[in-house]
Amino acid sequence: MESVLSKYENQITIFADYLEEFPDTNDLVWILGKQHLLKTEKSKLLSDISARLWFTYRRKFSPIGGTGPSSDAGWGCMLRCGQMMLAQALICRHLGRDWNWEKQKEQPKEYQRILQCFLDRKDCCYSIHQMAQMGVGEGKSIGEWFGPNTVAQVLKKLALFDEWNSLAVYVSMDNTVVIEDIKKMCRILPLSTDTDGGSPPNSLNASNHSDELIFLDPHTTQTFVDTEEDGTVDDQTFHCLQSPQRMNILNLDPSVALGFFCKEEKDFDNWCSLVQKEILKENLRMFELVQKHPSHWPPFVPPAKPEVTTTGAEFIDSTEQLEEFDLEEEFEILSV
């Protein structure tokens, strides 16, 4: 397409076949904290959806653990969902929520680096290889389906070895978010604030008339993609340019994991205020938010990275290295 095209005209061409699949109403649509007016901003809405990193089943990658499966079709869907959730957090961390992706357009180096964190290789920190092998410590055999909590626990542990992103990953216990514990954990870890990220919205005005959900489906098997000779990744299959799928919220499996990214303490404080104002007023709550660590719980100990001279991606090479660890939440991977 010629450069004279407007910012979204090329996106309209891509999505022209299904622009009308969304109802012609005045409803607001929320995509990861950003709202779109459905009646007048359909192309921007679809462009926003396609910009999200989309991870699906893959085949023909190197066998996990050297002798394990070379495809995650049939068992890796929840791991892929966890990758998508974390990838969006990294996009907000380095590029901001307003960053947008366009097909065949050169992207920032941070984008390429984020994408490479999730390639299906054992030396990529959040690869299917690393997640599957870390899951052994959670009682999951390689090739076994994960639940949402297992995925969250695995990502929390892998994040300890991710020095570039410096994420503090908190997984709530008993559906209860403890403000005191999160602030304690974030003040211990060396979090950096290089770029502006997206902040939580000030209010939630979702319509009650159509409470549908838009989602990216991982249940599509694609061929493994590796880096090119110049070190970049052909990202065409990591963005969903087909019709986004929708479902009635009543059909949602109640076993879910919700993820929130807060770049700075003020973002977290705003999130807490929003939750107290909009969510905790409901009779049936998805989770609780409390200020202090419950006295009847075990003491909160922030996760710590083991003293090693290499990254987790380099030394979790086989399940044999996990056998000495128990299945408790706070197990650590040590050098061998």
Side-chain angles (χ1 to χ4, degrees), residues 78 145 148 213 247-257 286:
M78 194 66 72
W145 183 85
L213 299 176
M247 65 179 294
N248 191 301
I249 193 171
L250 296 179
N251 295 329
L252 181 68
D253 191 312
S255 179
V256 298
M286 295 189 71

Side-chain angles (χ1 to χ4, degrees), residues 241-305:
L241 297 180
Q242 61 194 28
S243 176
Q245 299 194 47
R246 312 200 317 266
M247 65 179 294
N248 191 301
I249 193 171
L250 296 179
N251 295 329
L252 181 68
D253 191 312
S255 179
V256 298
L258 301 179
F260 302 92
F261 173 74
C262 298
K263 186 173 178 58
E264 299 175 344
E265 185 173 6
K266 65 179 181 179
D267 297 327
F268 178 62
D269 291 338
N270 290 339
W271 178 85
C272 291
S273 298
L274 181 63
V275 167
Q276 292 167 340
K277 177 182 177 182
E278 300 287 350
I279 296 179
L280 298 186
K281 67 180 181 181
E282 301 294 335
N283 292 327
L284 297 177
R285 304 170 182 174
M286 295 189 71
F287 60 90
E288 298 290 341
L289 178 67
V290 298
Q291 183 68 44
K292 296 293 184 180
H293 187 88
S295 59
H296 60 282
W297 282 10
F300 175 74
V301 180
K305 178 182 176 182

